[in-house]
Amino acid sequence: MSKQRNITLKDLAKELNLSISTVSRALNQHPDIKPSTVERVTTLAKQRHYSPNLFAKSFRSRKTNILGVIVPNITHYFTSTILKGILEKAEEKGYRVIISESKNNEAKQTEMLQTMTQFGVDGVLLALARKTTSVTDVLQILNRIPLVMFDKVSDKIPCTQIVIDDKEAAFNAVEHLINIGKKRIAIIKETENSFNSEKRFAGYLKALKEHNLPVDEKIILSTEDISLTNGRRLTNILISMKNPPDAIFAITDNAAIGAIKALNKFKIKIPEQIAVVGFSNSMNSTIIQPALSTVDQPGNKIGKTAVKYLIQEIETPNEDISIKTVKIKTSLIIRDSSFTT
């Protein structure tokens, strides 16, 4: 069966014997159009399933009311909570959202940024791909349309950025381990060039320094893919050491859950022998046994805050916008993996 073509303003105008401009103004409830005409036009538009052409409309108004969002990994739990906040706030403010995934690939990220501008989005929300080595393409987009970054950010990009205080959150997690009597605390982190990982590592080092604990390079382990599998693999390395750690701080929940699985396999008591703390408060943090202590990141609030600042920039285009870094508070959730009586 052949598909019917879309009904246009011209079709409605012809059927109603009205001008195209009259039909357009009637659909937009213009005060100059008589209520009876508005009713005739809107009734027929519904009957014919008329849908306005957003691109034509945006060409006239130079505004689409569409926000572009680019994230490294759309399936990541924390990312999904951010996206939920973005969608809720955008809808509340009358904006639609186009979401794309860079798959942690810089070339894909550049392609998505270009696609967003070609679609005429009013602004972009961006979390950087992990392996971003150059921000030139991002800076070019920033010169053309409003852009706000969140979660995965860079201090080389002069725009408003919505983040958590990774350093403070990690400091609190490690200090908690110290307060329960742990003195040899390992860290599982990402390899270099990860903004979030380096901030969390800085918090780890700060906690050790403030409590006069030595930094042992042997128990500082890095991996490019900070996954459950690598968390388990690196924990196997830690527990095979002559002088193993008495606690593990992993910069993601996945790596921390991998650590717990490795410890459980070798029947190492958690937290008595080795305590574990993760980062994210993912759904799996309560499923694993023992339940994982972790840093809670309020993803929904991060998403809503990012939309708020982006729309402010979109709707005040001729005003000087002050660039700011907005830090969203985190909290440490203590569960059985680091709870001692």
Side-chain angles (χ1 to χ4, degrees), residues 110-244:
T110 298
E111 180 189 330
M112 290 299 99
L113 282 167
Q114 292 170 349
T115 300
M116 293 294 183
T117 55
Q118 288 166 359
F119 269 105
V121 298
D122 293 333
V124 171
L125 295 169
L126 172 66
L128 282 177
R130 186 193 299 125
K131 295 182 181 179
T132 300
T133 56
S134 169
V135 297
T136 302
D137 295 316
V138 180
L139 293 174
Q140 288 176 351
I141 297 298
L142 183 60
N143 287 331
R144 296 168 62 186
I145 59 174
L147 183 143
V148 169
M149 299 187 71
F150 63 94
D151 187 33
K152 306 288 189 296
V153 302
S154 168
D155 52 14
K156 296 176 183 176
I157 302 172
C159 68
T160 292
Q161 303 184 354
I162 316 300
V163 296
I164 64 166
D165 192 331
D166 282 287
K167 184 176 179 180
E168 180 188 56
F171 173 87
N172 292 338
V174 176
E175 186 173 61
H176 158 65
L177 290 168
I178 295 168
N179 288 339
I180 64 172
K182 304 300 182 179
K183 300 186 184 301
R184 185 167 166 75
I185 303 168
I187 182 170
I188 297 175
K189 67 182 188 72
E190 283 184 287
T191 45
E192 309 309 311
N193 299 323
S194 168
F195 183 88
N196 304 67
S197 179
E198 290 309 300
K199 291 288 186 183
R200 292 171 197 180
F201 183 46
Y204 164 84
L205 293 175
K206 181 185 175 187
L208 296 185
K209 182 178 179 181
E210 288 199 9
H211 290 271
N212 299 310
L213 292 177
V215 176
D216 185 347
E217 296 290 338
K218 294 188 192 70
I219 57 173
I220 297 173
L221 302 184
S222 301
T223 176
E224 184 173 325
D225 179 19
I226 190 81
S227 62
L228 187 151
T229 299
N230 279 324
R232 182 161 44 197
R233 178 180 63 82
L234 294 177
T235 300
N236 286 336
I237 293 172
L238 290 169
I239 60 180
S240 65
M241 290 178 177
K242 197 171 185 179
N243 184 17

Side-chain angles (χ1 to χ4, degrees), residues 10-21:
K10 186 177 180 180
D11 295 328
L12 295 177
K14 184 177 180 180
E15 191 165 343
L16 292 164
N17 198 26
L18 296 170
S19 69
I20 293 173
S21 62

